[in-house]
Amino acid sequence: MRETHMVANSRRRAPTRIKMSAAKAKMREKKMKNQPASVQYPSSHVESKAENGGGGDVVNQMRILPGRGSGLHPSGPGGFADITKVTKKKSLLAGLKKKKEPVKSKSRKARRRHGNLLLEFNRRQRKNIWLETHIWHAKRFHMVKKWGYCLGVRPTYKCYRPCYRAMSSHCLLQDLSYYCCIELKGEEDKLLAALTQLTCKEAGPTFAAAMFLSGARQGSVTVYRAGRYPSDPLGPVTFLWRPQTPGLTHRQLWIWAHPALKQDLLPELQSVCQCCEAVAPPVEPEVLRAEADPAPQAEPNPDNELKAGAKRKRRCKDAGEPPAKRILGDGTRLPTSPVTWRSSSTGLVINDLTMEIIRYRLIGPQSHSVLAETLEAATVCDELKSSPLWWPEHCKDRSNMKLHQQQTDVFNVLKGIYSTGELPPGTVLGLTVDDPRLTLPRQKVKAAPCVNQDQVGDEEKRNQLMLQGVPLQCCQSFLWERSVRENVTDNKISEQELNRMRSELLVPGSRLGPGPQQGRVPVLLVHQPGKQVGDELGSWGAGWDLLLPKGWGMAFWVPLVYRGVRVAGLHMSLKHSQNKAAPHFPHDYPDCPAGSRFQEEQEAEFLDTFRRHPPAKRTNYIKHGCLAPFRCPWQQLAEEWELLATDGGADRKGDGQTQMTRKSHEVIEEVTSQQNVAAASPPSCFTVLRNRRSLRLLSSWCRPPTCRRQRWGRGAALPLSDSAVTSFHAAHKMSVVWVRPTLLSKGKPEAHAMLCVPTAEDLKLFGKSPESCGPQEPPHKDHYKSRINRKKKSAKTATPSQESDHQTASTDLHSPSDLILGLWPDPLPSVASHCSRVTLGWVTQGDFSLSVGRGEALGFVSVSGLLHTLLKQPPELRGTLLLRNPASLHYRFVRVNIDV
């Protein structure tokens, strides 16, 4: 009896034991997922029993329920009971069945092998291009993926003030190799005829300016769509002409553009140059070393075996496969994709040289000192034997050596200049230098100026260089030749070979001398002007751009770093533009396609950050009276000010703002009327004012008469009057202008801050105490918060019929499902007259300026609004506006400057 009872109990506990075993098996598989193959767990008795079919008795003891609606009898053969038995037995075995083992990752030692590292690096560059200094930056910088590249934003250590000190007193280094270079070739007159369609002389010097056309200076210009000036701008570019060879009309031009601009610029260049015929790149067969150099090889000797303990290299699975090589240039482009376009009618050729030329930027007054210590003019090679290198053949020509000596003399004179800003802007110097790795110091040293005032001849040369620039013949460089660039890249000595040569020196630690087998590198030094506008901090942020052939990035980067420079990323590029009071692309080009795309991306990023905060911790921008905290609706602003200026209602609108109290029904009526007006007459797109003559006139009107400076050369500026304002407005409708507001008291401007018109009472307060704080904006009422809360409560207690009604109502305008607490929904009401002070524009960049010592901002204001504001202000207070940050109710007085 007792034995029978024990057997029954064991049978009743059997299913539970099997279930626990299945759960344990899953847990063990989960634990063993990432374990090495050497770690194993013994298989349990239950698993083996289940695999052998021992679980059938357990399945038979399970309770089976009769099926519903089946035509089979539950107890009959082939009925529902049998099907359920088989199904449950399979589900039990499926839980015990082992999952597919994941692919085992290689060990760290295998992953760190040189060949495997290169294969992995090449695979990771398929989507985003790596610069040649990527690995150096990835160890020290926060990296982001932008514009198809992987770029460094800011260092992992605090260096904001040290970077500013480097720009102001020493040198700051940046890698700008992600900028795209487009090469144009052809006859000069045909090139100019095509490029003239993209520019206008009213906006400044163009491609055809004499000082740029000679090749002695680098130029910059804003490019528009063909024949569309002043509308449809594409963005700013810098360009450099190759110095003209006497007797030849064939010219060569390099255009450097931001990667966000390339997709818009390249098709436009192909259109105006009529270069629509893509030239397929030549497919070169891969030639192995054995085929390229058929040298006699020794027969394999079985006796020559490796000694015990010798290191063995991992052999490739396929001996015929070439070794892995690092990608140089744009590795994301397919080998068959065209990079050259030709025109059969005009003979012009366009080459895409993206990632073919490396560009480093050195910013600061001692940039020339860093270059002087890093670069050494190439030594002459007297070897008479034939060599695959380009330099020995180049040295055989006496004219080439004469030009090289002239360039060396100019470079030596450059070492004695005190500051980089003393040189003419855009100066170009061609040079051929030795491998800078040969003169690499053993430890980091800070480059210092070497000014020698004793030699009278050098002083005269320095004065001539600072006044006239580099002679035209010294602007030549063999970097323009594709064959020379490829020769230098292919014949570069590896670091391993250099280290082997250093180990063979008689005196350890001594420097290697430049030998015939070591390559000479052609480079271009392009002067970058600093601050060229305004009356203060002239030439601040000037420096040099160093252009190199691809493959030599790290060979020049490390020697530059060892001269004590400070390395910066994208963040300091933006701050450099702010301190120069220059617009930064694409942040400050809202009328360009790239600028509008950037604004949309920035709004999505800010909105995502805003949504991640809890509702109780978000800023309620509706109560602050800020309609667009994450973007700047320039089009709507220009349209509203155009209507106000046309109807003459700007003054009436501004006077009524101080006592205006908006209610919900008034807001809805205003939005509806605005939509009707927009549907009746589609507005024209706004433009940014870039006419130099108009900018000078508007700049003179913004300044009080006491500090106004006349820059016209012939005659004085036109006085501010109603007739002058009317004519100016008629010439520049729907326009905004670039301004630089400077805070007159404490405070720090932020992005998307509002620039507003002060009332008469505000100007009286400012006249009594210029350092006083400005007025306050009265809090606004959030009309949507109650609707959101009410709909949330009703949704919790709603019946199914009410839920369907709520879904139907959600398609209406401003439904609670589309609203975000604290943000005004689209479409926006009047952006100009929403607050107690009339809005003129917004700030695109703002921060505390270390160069000025107070808060400074950069932004745009409406031309129509600014003209009417200046016309109503007293002469001694012209250019005084109010600035208010998006999350603040406090206005602060600012002085607006238009720098030309």
Side-chain angles (χ1 to χ4, degrees):
M1 185 67 182
R2 184 178 180 182
E3 294 178 357
T4 307
H5 182 69
M6 292 176 62
V7 171
N9 291 339
S10 64
R11 289 180 178 178
R12 285 196 298 267
R13 290 194 298 265
T16 307
R17 196 177 303 152
I18 292 296
K19 290 181 180 178
M20 292 181 63
S21 300
K24 288 182 179 179
K26 292 182 180 179
M27 186 180 299
R28 285 173 181 169
E29 288 184 3
K30 186 176 181 181
K31 290 181 179 179
M32 291 291 295
K33 184 177 181 180
N34 296 324
Q35 295 293 335
S38 59
V39 179
Q40 296 182 358
Y41 282 91
S43 60
S44 62
H45 172 71
V46 179
E47 293 176 357
S48 60
K49 185 176 180 180
E51 291 176 358
N52 295 330
D57 297 336
V58 178
V59 175
N60 293 332
Q61 294 177 5
M62 294 181 180
R63 184 180 180 183
I64 302 175
L65 298 176
R68 295 182 180 179
S70 60
L72 300 176
H73 194 273
S75 60
F80 182 75
D82 292 345
I83 297 175
T84 309
K85 289 181 182 180
V86 176
T87 304
K88 289 195 174 184
K89 183 177 180 180
K90 289 184 178 180
S91 63
L92 181 63
L93 295 178
L96 298 176
K97 186 178 180 181
K98 292 184 178 180
K99 296 182 180 179
K100 185 178 180 181
E101 296 182 358
V103 180
K104 299 177 182 178
S105 60
K106 298 180 181 178
S107 63
R108 187 179 186 277
K109 183 177 180 181
R111 293 196 307 267
R112 299 299 296 177
R113 289 195 182 106
H114 183 68
N116 292 341
L117 273 180
L118 287 181
L119 292 175
E120 179 65 15
F121 290 164
N122 294 342
R123 182 191 65 81
R124 290 162 61 184
Q125 297 180 59
R126 293 174 185 172
K127 292 184 179 180
N128 297 280
I129 309 174
W130 285 8
L131 306 183
E132 294 190 13
T133 59
H134 171 80
I135 298 178
W136 191 95
H137 280 89
K139 294 179 179 180
R140 300 164 178 88
F141 277 69
H142 296 285
M143 309 298 290
V144 295
K145 296 177 181 178
K146 273 191 173 184
W147 312 305
Y149 295 85
C150 196
L151 306 174
V153 182
R154 54 171 58 87
T156 54
Y157 50 89
K158 296 180 179 180
C159 67
Y160 178 76
R161 288 179 179 270
C163 286
Y164 171 77
R165 287 195 295 268
M167 288 189 291
S168 302
S169 59
H170 194 249
C171 182
L172 186 78
L173 177 62
Q174 292 177 321
D175 189 357
L176 299 185
S177 302
Y178 59 90
Y179 268 70
C180 304
C181 180
I182 301 176
E183 183 183 58
L184 276 68
K185 292 182 179 180
E187 296 184 5
E188 180 180 316
D189 54 349
K190 295 182 179 179
L191 283 174
L192 293 179
L195 295 174
T196 303
Q197 307 176 39
L198 307 179
T199 59
C200 183
K201 294 181 180 179
E202 296 179 357
T206 62
F207 293 98
M211 58 179 176
F212 303 143
L213 193 59
S214 63
R217 303 281 182 90
Q218 177 187 248
S220 61
V221 67
T222 301
V223 178
Y224 294 79
R225 295 196 184 275
R228 296 290 296 170
Y229 175 85
S231 60
D232 292 340
L234 297 178
V237 298
T238 58
F239 60 92
L240 182 62
W241 288 93
R242 184 176 184 177
Q244 188 175 9
T245 304
L248 294 179
T249 58
H250 188 82
R251 297 300 302 272
Q252 193 172 352
L253 172 68
W254 282 349
I255 299 178
W256 294 85
H258 193 275
L261 175 59
K262 179 184 175 182
Q263 59 179 329
D264 303 317
L265 176 63
L266 187 57
E268 201 68 23
L269 289 174
Q270 295 173 356
S271 176
V272 296
C273 296
Q274 302 177 13
C275 295
C276 301
E277 304 172 8
V279 180
V283 180
E284 299 180 0
E286 295 184 358
V287 182
L288 301 179
R289 289 186 177 181
E291 300 177 0
D293 188 12
Q297 299 181 356
E299 297 181 358
N301 188 359
D303 298 334
N304 297 336
E305 296 180 356
L306 293 175
K307 298 181 181 179
K311 295 182 179 179
R312 299 174 180 267
K313 294 185 177 180
R314 182 177 64 90
R315 297 181 180 179
C316 300
K317 295 181 181 179
D318 186 4
E321 292 183 359
K325 295 183 179 180
R326 184 179 178 183
I327 293 178
L328 295 178
D330 188 359
T332 60
R333 184 189 292 127
L334 295 176
T336 56
S337 59
V339 294
T340 303
W341 296 268
R342 190 186 306 274
S343 174
S344 57
S345 58
T346 61
L348 302 181
V349 179
I350 298 178
N351 293 323
D352 185 5
L353 301 183
T354 302
M355 297 298 295
E356 292 292 319
I357 300 175
I358 299 172
R359 188 169 190 134
Y360 293 157
R361 176 160 294 178
L362 293 90
I363 304 171
Q366 299 305 320
S367 301
H368 67 288
S369 302
V370 174
L371 291 175
E373 293 192 11
T374 305
L375 307 180
E376 292 288 342
T379 54
V380 180
C381 183
D382 299 331
E383 187 174 308
L384 300 179
K385 299 180 182 179
S386 59
S387 174
L389 303 178
W390 75 283
W391 182 248
E393 298 294 330
H394 179 76
C395 293
K396 297 179 182 179
D397 193 345
R398 292 185 178 180
S399 61
N400 293 336
M401 289 295 96
K402 182 180 179 181
L403 175 61
H404 176 65
Q405 186 60 39
Q406 293 176 352
Q407 293 175 341
T408 305
D409 295 340
V410 173
F411 184 68
N412 293 332
V413 173
L414 182 66
K415 298 179 181 180
I417 293 180
Y418 181 75
S419 176
T420 306
E422 298 178 1
L423 295 172
T427 300
V428 179
L429 174 62
L431 191 64
T432 303
V433 299
D434 288 329
D435 193 335
R437 295 174 293 179
L438 304 178
T439 58
L440 184 67
R442 301 187 64 178
Q443 58 184 358
K444 290 184 179 181
V445 293
K446 194 169 185 178
C450 51
V451 181
N452 188 3
Q453 302 291 348
D454 297 336
Q455 301 180 5
V456 180
D458 293 344
E459 182 67 23
E460 294 178 357
K461 293 180 180 178
R462 282 195 294 267
N463 294 336
Q464 184 179 3
L465 182 62
M466 290 186 293
L467 293 176
Q468 301 179 3
V470 176
L472 182 59
Q473 67 274 11
C474 296
C475 300
Q476 292 280 359
S477 176
F478 283 90
L479 188 66
W480 292 92
E481 297 289 343
R482 178 184 290 271
S483 58
V484 175
R485 295 198 305 267
E486 294 177 352
N487 184 279
V488 172
T489 301
D490 297 338
N491 295 280
K492 175 194 171 186
I493 298 180
S494 62
E495 292 287 343
Q496 182 181 7
E497 183 67 17
L498 276 180
N499 293 334
R500 185 193 62 79
M501 296 170 63
R502 290 191 182 99
S503 64
E504 296 177 354
L505 292 174
L506 296 178
V507 181
S510 58
R511 291 185 177 180
L512 283 172
Q517 74 278 10
Q518 295 169 357
R520 273 68 171 181
V521 187
V523 300
L524 263 177
L525 301 178
V526 182
H527 181 265
Q528 288 294 328
K531 187 175 181 181
Q532 299 293 305
V533 296
D535 302 330
E536 65 280 349
L537 299 175
S539 299
W540 185 93
W544 287 92
D545 279 7
L546 178 62
L547 307 185
L548 311 167
K550 69 176 182 180
W552 287 83
M554 289 303 297
F556 280 79
W557 183 266
V558 175
L560 288 172
V561 172
Y562 266 65
R563 264 65 184 194
V565 301
R566 178 73 64 170
V567 182
L570 297 177
H571 179 66
M572 289 311 299
S573 296
L574 182 62
K575 297 302 177 183
H576 180 230
S577 300
Q578 289 182 8
N579 290 320
K580 288 197 309 180
H584 187 78
F585 189 85
H587 297 66
D588 304 318
Y589 286 81
D591 56 339
C592 299
S596 60
R597 290 192 297 266
F598 169 80
Q599 186 172 356
E600 294 175 358
E601 296 172 0
Q602 188 184 48
E603 181 185 5
E605 180 182 353
F606 287 168
L607 186 59
D608 182 62
T609 305
F610 181 79
R611 283 177 170 174
R612 285 201 298 265
H613 287 81
K617 302 299 181 182
R618 299 176 187 171
T619 302
N620 194 323
Y621 292 104
I622 296 180
K623 291 185 178 181
H624 285 79
C626 182
L627 294 177
F630 305 141
R631 62 187 175 96
C632 301
W634 304 111
Q635 180 69 24
Q636 186 174 348
L637 177 73
E639 293 173 7
E640 292 182 6
W641 271 109
E642 188 66 24
L643 292 175
L644 293 175
T646 304
D647 300 339
D651 300 334
R652 296 193 302 270
K653 201 74 174 178
D655 295 339
Q657 288 296 312
T658 56
Q659 299 177 354
M660 184 177 296
T661 305
R662 297 185 178 274
K663 298 182 180 179
S664 58
H665 62 87
E666 294 177 353
V667 175
I668 295 175
E669 290 178 1
E670 187 174 3
V671 171
T672 307
S673 62
Q674 184 181 4
Q675 290 178 341
N676 296 335
V677 172
S681 58
S684 59
C685 296
F686 76 99
T687 58
V688 176
L689 180 60
R690 296 187 176 94
N691 188 305
R692 290 294 184 90
R693 184 180 180 87
S694 300
L695 287 174
R696 292 192 187 100
L697 182 59
L698 193 58
S699 176
S700 64
W701 288 346
C702 287
R703 300 181 181 182
T706 55
C707 62
R708 188 179 303 167
R709 296 181 60 184
Q710 307 296 341
R711 293 189 176 185
W712 289 79
R714 293 183 180 181
L718 296 176
L720 182 62
S721 61
D722 293 336
S723 59
V725 166
T726 303
S727 60
F728 194 97
H729 177 263
H732 305 288
K733 292 183 177 180
M734 294 288 296
S735 297
V736 295
V737 63
W738 171 261
V739 295
R740 178 174 58 90
T742 302
L743 287 175
L744 301 178
S745 60
K746 64 179 183 179
K748 174 185 173 182
E750 299 177 359
H752 304 149
M754 292 172 285
L755 295 171
C756 305
V757 181
T759 61
E761 292 76 10
D762 298 338
L763 293 178
K764 290 180 181 179
L765 177 63
F766 176 73
K768 294 178 181 178
S769 177
E771 297 294 334
S772 64
C773 296
Q776 291 278 345
E777 173 72 16
H780 293 230
K781 184 179 180 181
D782 189 356
H783 305 281
Y784 297 98
K785 184 176 181 180
S786 58
R787 293 178 56 187
I788 295 175
N789 296 335
R790 193 184 316 115
K791 291 296 182 180
K792 285 182 179 179
K793 293 180 180 178
S794 61
K796 294 180 181 179
T797 60
T799 60
S801 60
Q802 293 175 347
E803 289 181 0
S804 60
D805 296 341
H806 175 68
Q807 293 177 359
T808 305
S810 63
T811 59
D812 298 338
L813 186 64
H814 297 165
S815 62
S817 59
D818 300 333
L819 295 177
I820 301 176
L821 187 64
L823 293 182
W824 199 283
D826 289 330
L828 300 177
S830 175
V831 296
S833 59
H834 181 70
C835 300
S836 61
R837 271 72 178 175
V838 182
T839 304
L840 282 180
W842 292 279
V843 169
T844 57
Q845 306 175 31
D847 201 353
F848 183 86
S849 176
L850 296 176
S851 58
V852 180
R854 58 179 62 192
E856 206 171 46
L858 300 171
F860 295 90
V861 296
S862 170
V863 172
S864 303
L866 183 61
L867 290 175
H868 285 79
T869 301
L870 296 176
L871 195 61
K872 300 299 180 181
Q873 287 183 343
E876 65 276 4
L877 296 179
R878 281 178 186 167
T880 304
L881 298 181
L882 294 174
L883 183 143
R884 184 165 68 91
N885 289 330
S888 174
L889 293 174
H890 190 83
Y891 288 96
R892 298 188 183 276
F893 291 102
V894 294
R895 178 76 66 184
V896 171
N897 299 310
I898 299 178
D899 299 326
V900 186

